[in-house]
Amino acid sequence: MKQMNSIFVSIYWLATLALLAIGVVMVFAYTPTEVTMGPVQKIFYLHLPIAICTFFSCLTVFVASVGYLWQRKAMWDHLAHAAAQVAVIYAAIVLLTGMIWGRAAWGAWWQWTPRLTFSLVLWLLYVVYLVIRPSIESSQRRAMICAVYGVVAFLDVPLVYLSVRLMPDIHPSSIELEPAMKSTLIFWFIPVIMVTVGLIAASFKLAKRQAACNITRELPLPKSKTARPLRPTITSGNRGVV
Amino acid sequence: MMLLLRQIIMLTGKDLRIEARSRQTLGLVIVLGILIIVVLGLGLGPEQLTNGASATATLWVAYLFAGVLVFEKTMSVERHDGALASLLLAPIDRSVIYVAKLISNLILMLILALVITPVAVVLFGFDLSAAPGQFTMIMAMSILGFAAVGTLFAAVVSSTRLQGGLLAIVVLPLALPLVIASTQMMIQLFRDGKPIGGTGLTVLLAADVLYLVTSWLVFELILEP
Amino acid sequence: MTATDLITADKQSPQADALDWVIRARGLSLHIDDRAILHDLTFDINPGSYVALLGANGAGKSTLLHMLATLTVPTAGELRLFGKRVGRGNPAIRANIGMIGHQPMLYRDLTALENLVFFGKLYNVKNPTDRAEELLDQVALSHRADDPACTFSRGMVQRLAIARALMHNPKLLLADEPFSGLDMASGRMLENLLAQLHAQGMTIVLVNHDIEQSLALAQRAIALRQGRIVVDAQTCELDLETVIQEIGIS
Amino acid sequence: MNSLNYAIGAYVVGLGLIIGYAAWLWLASIAVTRRENRQNGQERR
């Protein structure tokens, strides 16, 4: 069974890589350059699917956190941790590509526009999730705190989205997509979703195996009948104190 | 219902009596608030300060960090001698403990606000005269949401021996929507002079309701001696 | 130590006498992070008995005591206290349980009297102040009633903790390592206090790492090893050697 | 033309982060396998 599994995994990743490569070729060779924005618009085909999948991984963190709060099984915590890692990586991509787009289109790396601020705050929210994990020793306590944080952070996302829209939006840009562009965009969703699911699954499996290794399994205690335990020295002070 | 109210009043009374008796939290927190305002005020420089928006930002920073200290202190009182275990053993509802602790935190934050806001206004000439009523309303709603999340996570985090900056790191990002919404509304209010729009208020209201409800539900699950 | 009656006799509600057990555990087990802390514990504790939970560190005795105090929910098995099944949120059952531990479990900034009155009100005890005064008198702390608990010595705080545990006349007293940190005199005094309570019909479950002291005090001993019951017998039939060997103190 | 470089740069950054994370996961799984073998080896001996 193990053998079958690893074959499937390698096929899965090869297919994803192939699709990604095709996607890149399509973006730079097949799709026409957008007239008003110029070639920088090509970032859109990566930016949008990754943004959607960021939301998907945040949702997974939320579901896994609720799962842990409800069942208290370590498995949920591993899933939340895995999904949070992917969420942070993806939020970083959305943030960076957004900044690059802003730099190319309006000349500044950073502007307090609603979209950019939203991805920054989203990234911050889930980076904090990862940052607080190592500073809590007991695994049960860590799972508990992260579960509560995972729930509240996800519920925070719509609030951030709403409050960010209060900010003045200097460059409202909604561009019209030609059919060729649309097909590339839709095509790009396939590899990105495959990568997301693959990364979350791989990270989840890894977290589970790491936790299994961490459980301190001492060698079983010698059966009391056979091996004589060390006789505790019973002095007057500590009467047989263990 | 009356019993719940009586229990809440009892617990809040206990918190405030302990605070009055030990006087550790309030003095510390007020001085920290003033320190933050002075540092930020000096940093921003006089010309920046006249408009209300930077006043809100400065006050927000003071409230956030002083507030985190309040939440940490009021919860450590419970943990100190294992008193929380006897509270949990008592035949009272766990949400009563949450509401009582929230109210105590709010009272302490109110006292904190009543002290450091005038200090900020006097020291740096914030002219809140344009819309003092709306200013207080916005700040009150934001502090309520902030305290709701702060109290929940103070209980969650306090159970680990390691407190330190953990509570601040956890609570501050969660309070960001409140900060963004209230500062944007202040900008509209003071700099542009426009009355505050509906979305701003809905955000604050939604945040308050959301934080209160989630904390209420989750508190039951996470409170352990 | 005045031997007045710490718990007034009439408070014993008839319903408790009808049952022949106070605690009935069936197959209690607890798993944390897929590690079994307690394995399928089954035992009955009948009213008025003095039971000692023994075991090496980490054998799960404190966890079991917290479970009996309904503070921890078992992952499997059923626990019945005073005839009622323990589920989520059970104020009625908790009203009959008193607990003392190595921590005093009260507010160090409040005075002794304020602490007792506060907890009394929580258990809606009628006229809590009189009850508090009476208990402070019995634990010989009435001269310190208005001093904050932080000014008390370790022994005095422990006596105050007992008074707090008895404020609402519990039928079951759980003690989690109450002797730790006590000097000889306060330890002796605490032993007498517990013996007196037992004489007046209180059911006591004591967790203690000092095995000889527990064997001397308690009627019955339940020893745990790695979350399993290895010994459950009357203390008179047990001797220190076998218990130490059974517990497998390496 | 430099906005094309920005577009290429964005893809390099985006895919680079994904591949970097995947590589990190792969390395970590090798480390875990080594720990598992050692632990299993220990018990069998």
Side-chain angles (χ1 to χ4, degrees), chain C residues 24-35:
Chain C
R24 165 160 291 180
R26 287 291 177 275
L28 278 184
S29 42
L30 182 70
H31 298 266
I32 297 177
D33 292 350
D34 325 324
R35 271 205 330 280

Side-chain angles (χ1 to χ4, degrees), chain C residues 136-148:
Chain C
L136 280 177
D137 186 39
Q138 269 135 33
V139 288
L141 279 175
S142 36
H143 61 293
R144 298 296 301 266
D146 294 331
D147 302 333

Side-chain angles (χ1 to χ4, degrees), chain C residues 104-205:
Chain C
M105 292 165 68
L106 38 80
Y107 294 99
R108 59 203 309 274
D109 297 309
L110 295 179
T111 69
L113 196 61
E114 279 167 353
N115 263 304
L116 293 183
V117 167
F118 170 71
F119 285 109
K121 280 202 205 132
L122 274 189
Y123 284 89
N124 25 60
V125 167
K126 290 176 291 309
N127 47 55
T129 326
D130 309 342
R131 176 76 181 139
E133 299 273 0
E134 177 200 333
L135 276 172
L136 280 177
D137 186 39
Q138 269 135 33
V139 288
L141 279 175
S142 36
H143 61 293
R144 298 296 301 266
D146 294 331
D147 302 333
C150 50
T151 59
F152 283 21
S153 75
R154 185 76 186 93
M156 292 158 76
V157 165
Q158 203 60 352
R159 291 184 351 232
L160 183 61
I162 288 206
R164 170 195 49 75
L166 296 176
M167 268 303 283
H168 53 293
N169 272 316
K171 296 192 188 57
L172 168 64
L173 180 65
L174 303 173
D176 185 7
E177 306 272 4
F179 296 101
S180 74
L182 287 187
D183 53 56
M184 193 57 79
S186 322
R188 172 83 59 238
M189 183 278 311
L190 186 58
E191 285 171 12
N192 296 345
L193 211 54
L194 290 178
Q196 242 179 71
L197 286 172
H198 176 232
Q200 283 140 22
M202 170 79 80
T203 316
I204 298 177
V205 179

Side-chain angles (χ1 to χ4, degrees), chain A residues 71-192:
Chain A
Q71 288 183 340
R72 295 292 166 87
K73 285 220 171 35
M75 180 265 294
W76 288 116
D77 179 51
H78 300 318
L79 179 60
H81 185 194
Q85 283 176 344
V86 173
V88 165
I89 297 279
Y90 275 24
I93 296 174
V94 171
L95 184 62
L96 291 175
T97 47
M99 285 167 71
I100 293 172
W101 191 329
R103 173 81 172 105
W106 306 303
W109 280 112
W110 180 261
Q111 276 157 338
W112 289 98
T113 60
R115 260 189 223 83
L116 276 178
T117 323
F118 177 74
S119 20
L120 174 65
V121 171
L122 189 72
W123 180 76
L124 256 176
L125 268 177
Y126 283 88
V127 158
V128 164
Y129 179 95
L130 293 182
V131 158
I132 57 174
R133 284 191 82 93
S135 58
I136 307 160
E137 299 82 21
S138 100
S139 66
Q140 205 210 355
R141 228 17 32 241
R142 177 192 323 130
M144 171 60 62
I145 292 175
C146 291
V148 175
Y149 184 84
V151 166
V152 180
F154 182 75
L155 297 177
D156 226 37
V157 169
L159 288 178
V160 176
Y161 183 75
L162 267 176
S163 61
V164 148
R165 277 158 51 121
L166 288 169
M167 303 174 87
D169 190 349
I170 319 160
H171 312 288
S173 65
S174 63
I175 26 171
E176 192 36 55
L177 286 183
E178 289 156 25
M181 292 184 181
K182 277 207 178 66
S183 58
T184 322
L185 182 62
I186 290 161
F187 176 85
W188 258 89
F189 268 94
I190 306 163
V192 170

